[in-house]
Tab-separated table of all heavy atoms in Angstrom:
chain	number	residue	atom	x	y	z
P	941	ASP	N	-29.040	2.429	50.358
P	941	ASP	CA	-29.953	2.340	49.216
P	941	ASP	C	-30.233	0.851	49.023
P	941	ASP	O	-29.349	0.094	48.607
P	941	ASP	CB	-29.243	2.950	47.997
P	941	ASP	CG	-30.090	2.904	46.724
P	941	ASP	OD1	-31.016	2.072	46.648
P	941	ASP	OD2	-29.802	3.700	45.817
P	942	ILE	N	-31.443	0.418	49.351
P	942	ILE	CA	-31.676	-1.036	49.371
P	942	ILE	C	-31.709	-1.644	47.973
P	942	ILE	O	-31.615	-2.850	47.817
P	942	ILE	CB	-32.970	-1.414	50.136
P	942	ILE	CG1	-34.183	-0.739	49.506
P	942	ILE	CG2	-32.852	-1.073	51.615
P	942	ILE	CD1	-35.492	-1.360	49.968
P	943	GLU	N	-31.834	-0.825	46.959
P	943	GLU	CA	-31.864	-1.387	45.606
P	943	GLU	C	-30.474	-1.576	45.013
P	943	GLU	O	-30.260	-2.466	44.203
P	943	GLU	CB	-32.722	-0.504	44.694
P	943	GLU	CG	-34.192	-0.575	45.084
P	943	GLU	CD	-35.098	0.098	44.065
P	943	GLU	OE1	-34.723	1.162	43.540
P	943	GLU	OE2	-36.174	-0.448	43.795
P	944	THR	N	-29.543	-0.705	45.410
P	944	THR	CA	-28.180	-0.851	44.867
P	944	THR	C	-27.219	-1.414	45.904
P	944	THR	O	-26.111	-1.825	45.559
P	944	THR	CB	-27.628	0.518	44.428
P	944	THR	OG1	-27.586	1.368	45.587
P	944	THR	CG2	-28.491	1.148	43.356
P	945	GLY	N	-27.604	-1.388	47.161
P	945	GLY	CA	-26.669	-1.753	48.227
P	945	GLY	C	-25.682	-0.639	48.518
P	945	GLY	O	-24.774	-0.791	49.338
P	946	GLY	N	-25.860	0.480	47.862
P	946	GLY	CA	-24.954	1.619	48.077
P	946	GLY	C	-25.179	2.243	49.442
P	946	GLY	O	-26.270	2.166	50.009
P	1053	LEU	N	-30.835	-1.575	58.123
P	1053	LEU	CA	-31.527	-2.671	57.448
P	1053	LEU	C	-32.289	-3.569	58.424
P	1053	LEU	O	-32.738	-4.657	58.049
P	1053	LEU	CB	-30.520	-3.488	56.630
P	1053	LEU	CG	-29.805	-2.680	55.521
P	1053	LEU	CD1	-28.793	-3.551	54.787
P	1053	LEU	CD2	-30.810	-2.089	54.541
P	1058	ILE	N	-31.358	-8.155	58.542
P	1058	ILE	CA	-30.100	-8.529	57.885
P	1058	ILE	C	-28.906	-8.329	58.826
P	1058	ILE	O	-28.840	-7.340	59.549
P	1058	ILE	CB	-29.938	-7.699	56.607
P	1058	ILE	CG1	-30.801	-8.331	55.522
P	1058	ILE	CG2	-28.486	-7.613	56.155
P	1058	ILE	CD1	-31.037	-7.425	54.377
P	1059	GLN	N	-28.000	-9.263	58.805
P	1059	GLN	CA	-26.771	-9.152	59.586
P	1059	GLN	C	-25.586	-9.142	58.642
P	1059	GLN	O	-25.622	-9.777	57.596
P	1059	GLN	CB	-26.639	-10.339	60.547
P	1059	GLN	CG	-27.680	-10.372	61.642
P	1059	GLN	CD	-27.501	-9.252	62.665
P	1059	GLN	OE1	-26.477	-8.578	62.701
P	1059	GLN	NE2	-28.520	-9.051	63.488
P	1060	LEU	N	-24.542	-8.414	59.008
P	1060	LEU	CA	-23.321	-8.400	58.191
P	1060	LEU	C	-22.136	-8.700	59.099
P	1060	LEU	O	-21.998	-8.085	60.156
P	1060	LEU	CB	-23.118	-7.030	57.535
P	1060	LEU	CG	-24.120	-6.603	56.466
P	1060	LEU	CD1	-24.007	-5.112	56.217
P	1060	LEU	CD2	-23.877	-7.370	55.172
P	1062	GLU	N	-18.881	-9.255	57.545
P	1062	GLU	CA	-17.755	-9.305	56.630
P	1062	GLU	C	-17.317	-7.889	56.280
P	1062	GLU	O	-18.154	-7.027	56.014
P	1062	GLU	CB	-18.248	-10.024	55.358
P	1062	GLU	CG	-17.186	-10.635	54.509
P	1062	GLU	CD	-17.805	-11.511	53.396
P	1062	GLU	OE1	-19.033	-11.726	53.393
P	1062	GLU	OE2	-17.032	-11.941	52.536
P	1066	THR	N	-19.344	-4.190	51.067
P	1066	THR	CA	-19.477	-3.564	49.748
P	1066	THR	C	-20.942	-3.549	49.336
P	1066	THR	O	-21.743	-4.341	49.848
P	1066	THR	CB	-18.682	-4.356	48.696
P	1066	THR	OG1	-19.165	-5.705	48.710
P	1066	THR	CG2	-17.198	-4.354	48.998
P	1067	PRO	N	-21.301	-2.689	48.386
P	1067	PRO	CA	-22.680	-2.666	47.908
P	1067	PRO	C	-23.131	-4.057	47.460
P	1067	PRO	O	-24.258	-4.473	47.725
P	1067	PRO	CB	-22.633	-1.707	46.719
P	1067	PRO	CG	-21.440	-0.857	46.950
P	1067	PRO	CD	-20.468	-1.674	47.732
P	1068	GLN	N	-22.216	-4.765	46.825
P	1068	GLN	CA	-22.568	-6.094	46.342
P	1068	GLN	C	-22.914	-7.042	47.486
P	1068	GLN	O	-23.868	-7.813	47.414
P	1068	GLN	CB	-21.394	-6.622	45.536
P	1068	GLN	CG	-21.454	-8.086	45.244
P	1068	GLN	CD	-20.497	-8.428	44.129
P	1068	GLN	OE1	-20.731	-8.110	42.977
P	1068	GLN	NE2	-19.404	-9.058	44.467
P	1069	ARG	N	-22.108	-6.988	48.563
P	1069	ARG	CA	-22.387	-7.875	49.707
P	1069	ARG	C	-23.693	-7.477	50.394
P	1069	ARG	O	-24.459	-8.337	50.837
P	1069	ARG	CB	-21.225	-7.832	50.709
P	1069	ARG	CG	-19.957	-8.457	50.164
P	1069	ARG	CD	-18.923	-8.784	51.238
P	1069	ARG	NE	-17.842	-9.528	50.596
P	1069	ARG	CZ	-16.620	-9.037	50.377
P	1069	ARG	NH1	-16.297	-7.822	50.785
P	1069	ARG	NH2	-15.724	-9.770	49.764
P	1070	ILE	N	-23.911	-6.196	50.517
P	1070	ILE	CA	-25.147	-5.724	51.161
P	1070	ILE	C	-26.348	-6.133	50.312
P	1070	ILE	O	-27.347	-6.646	50.802
P	1070	ILE	CB	-25.096	-4.192	51.337
P	1070	ILE	CG1	-24.018	-3.826	52.359
P	1070	ILE	CG2	-26.458	-3.648	51.751
P	1070	ILE	CD1	-23.707	-2.347	52.447
P	1071	ARG	N	-26.215	-5.938	49.032
P	1071	ARG	CA	-27.315	-6.263	48.112
P	1071	ARG	C	-27.601	-7.771	48.116
P	1071	ARG	O	-28.744	-8.198	48.036
P	1071	ARG	CB	-26.922	-5.750	46.724
P	1071	ARG	CG	-27.959	-5.846	45.650
P	1071	ARG	CD	-29.290	-5.198	45.941
P	1071	ARG	NE	-30.318	-6.058	45.368
P	1071	ARG	CZ	-31.554	-6.186	45.775
P	1071	ARG	NH1	-32.013	-5.462	46.777
P	1071	ARG	NH2	-32.369	-7.029	45.207
P	1072	GLU	N	-26.536	-8.541	48.256
P	1072	GLU	CA	-26.727	-9.989	48.284
P	1072	GLU	C	-27.584	-10.407	49.476
P	1072	GLU	O	-28.481	-11.246	49.354
P	1072	GLU	CB	-25.358	-10.679	48.338
P	1072	GLU	CG	-25.425	-12.153	48.056
P	1072	GLU	CD	-24.052	-12.794	48.103
P	1072	GLU	OE1	-23.083	-12.156	47.651
P	1072	GLU	OE2	-23.953	-13.923	48.617
P	1073	GLN	N	-27.302	-9.809	50.619
P	1073	GLN	CA	-28.105	-10.101	51.815
P	1073	GLN	C	-29.556	-9.679	51.593
P	1073	GLN	O	-30.486	-10.386	51.978
P	1073	GLN	CB	-27.554	-9.340	53.025
P	1073	GLN	CG	-26.160	-9.767	53.445
P	1073	GLN	CD	-26.151	-11.150	54.046
P	1073	GLN	OE1	-27.111	-11.560	54.689
P	1073	GLN	NE2	-25.089	-11.891	53.821
P	1074	LEU	N	-29.724	-8.510	50.989
P	1074	LEU	CA	-31.084	-8.019	50.755
P	1074	LEU	C	-31.822	-8.931	49.786
P	1074	LEU	O	-33.006	-9.224	49.957
P	1074	LEU	CB	-31.020	-6.592	50.200
P	1074	LEU	CG	-30.736	-5.508	51.255
P	1074	LEU	CD1	-30.168	-4.255	50.615
P	1074	LEU	CD2	-32.008	-5.176	52.039
P	1075	ARG	N	-31.099	-9.380	48.771
P	1075	ARG	CA	-31.734	-10.264	47.789
P	1075	ARG	C	-32.191	-11.536	48.490
P	1075	ARG	O	-33.302	-12.012	48.284
P	1075	ARG	CB	-30.734	-10.586	46.675
P	1075	ARG	CG	-31.402	-11.095	45.403
P	1075	ARG	CD	-30.401	-11.477	44.323
P	1075	ARG	NE	-29.452	-10.445	44.020
P	1075	ARG	CZ	-28.127	-10.556	44.213
P	1075	ARG	NH1	-27.609	-11.668	44.705
P	1075	ARG	NH2	-27.334	-9.572	43.924
P	1076	ARG	N	-31.313	-12.066	49.359
P	1076	ARG	CA	-31.687	-13.270	50.100
P	1076	ARG	C	-32.889	-13.032	50.996
P	1076	ARG	O	-33.677	-13.929	51.240
P	1076	ARG	CB	-30.516	-13.734	50.970
P	1076	ARG	CG	-29.511	-14.505	50.179
P	1076	ARG	CD	-28.683	-15.378	51.098
P	1076	ARG	NE	-27.365	-15.542	50.512
P	1076	ARG	CZ	-26.238	-15.525	51.189
P	1076	ARG	NH1	-26.253	-15.354	52.493
P	1076	ARG	NH2	-25.095	-15.690	50.568
P	1077	ALA	N	-32.991	-11.792	51.479
P	1077	ALA	CA	-34.131	-11.475	52.341
P	1077	ALA	C	-35.368	-11.137	51.530
P	1077	ALA	O	-36.393	-10.731	52.079
P	1077	ALA	CB	-33.771	-10.301	53.256
P	1078	GLY	N	-35.263	-11.300	50.214
P	1078	GLY	CA	-36.438	-11.131	49.374
P	1078	GLY	C	-36.712	-9.705	48.926
P	1078	GLY	O	-37.795	-9.402	48.454
P	1079	VAL	N	-35.711	-8.814	49.065
P	1079	VAL	CA	-35.909	-7.443	48.596
P	1079	VAL	C	-35.473	-7.380	47.135
P	1079	VAL	O	-34.286	-7.375	46.822
P	1079	VAL	CB	-35.089	-6.439	49.444
P	1079	VAL	CG1	-35.357	-5.013	48.971
P	1079	VAL	CG2	-35.429	-6.598	50.917
C	382	ALA	N	-18.412	-6.887	40.517
C	382	ALA	CA	-19.840	-7.184	40.540
C	382	ALA	C	-20.115	-8.541	39.913
C	382	ALA	O	-19.646	-8.842	38.816
C	382	ALA	CB	-20.611	-6.100	39.791
C	383	THR	N	-20.893	-9.343	40.633
C	383	THR	CA	-21.324	-10.631	40.087
C	383	THR	C	-22.430	-10.381	39.053
C	383	THR	O	-23.041	-9.310	39.054
C	383	THR	CB	-21.923	-11.511	41.202
C	383	THR	OG1	-23.037	-10.802	41.777
C	383	THR	CG2	-20.913	-11.821	42.281
C	385	GLU	N	-25.410	-11.539	39.087
C	385	GLU	CA	-26.666	-11.308	39.807
C	385	GLU	C	-26.754	-9.855	40.258
C	385	GLU	O	-27.801	-9.214	40.179
C	385	GLU	CB	-26.775	-12.204	41.060
C	385	GLU	CG	-26.798	-13.691	40.805
C	385	GLU	CD	-25.434	-14.229	40.393
C	385	GLU	OE1	-24.426	-13.845	41.023
C	385	GLU	OE2	-25.368	-15.015	39.424
C	386	TYR	N	-25.622	-9.368	40.782
C	386	TYR	CA	-25.630	-7.989	41.283
C	386	TYR	C	-25.829	-7.003	40.124
C	386	TYR	O	-26.613	-6.065	40.219
C	386	TYR	CB	-24.321	-7.707	42.032
C	386	TYR	CG	-24.239	-6.313	42.600
C	386	TYR	CD1	-25.263	-5.804	43.405
C	386	TYR	CD2	-23.145	-5.501	42.345
C	386	TYR	CE1	-25.190	-4.517	43.925
C	386	TYR	CE2	-23.058	-4.222	42.868
C	386	TYR	CZ	-24.091	-3.732	43.653
C	386	TYR	OH	-24.018	-2.465	44.162
C	389	ASP	N	-29.376	-6.793	39.158
C	389	ASP	CA	-30.129	-5.930	40.076
C	389	ASP	C	-29.908	-4.461	39.734
C	389	ASP	O	-30.834	-3.648	39.767
C	389	ASP	CB	-29.673	-6.166	41.526
C	389	ASP	CG	-30.335	-7.391	42.140
C	389	ASP	OD1	-31.218	-7.984	41.488
C	389	ASP	OD2	-29.949	-7.754	43.274
Side-chain angles (χ1 to χ4, degrees):
Chain P
D941 179 338
I942 59 165
E943 292 190 320
T944 61
L1053 299 178
I1058 280 164
Q1059 293 291 347
L1060 293 164
E1062 202 171 353
T1066 57
Q1068 166 163 287
R1069 292 196 173 109
I1070 292 170
R1071 186 55 218 152
E1072 193 179 322
Q1073 295 290 327
L1074 282 158
R1075 199 183 307 117
R1076 279 202 210 140
V1079 182
Chain C
T383 59
E385 298 73 44
Y386 181 52
D389 278 354

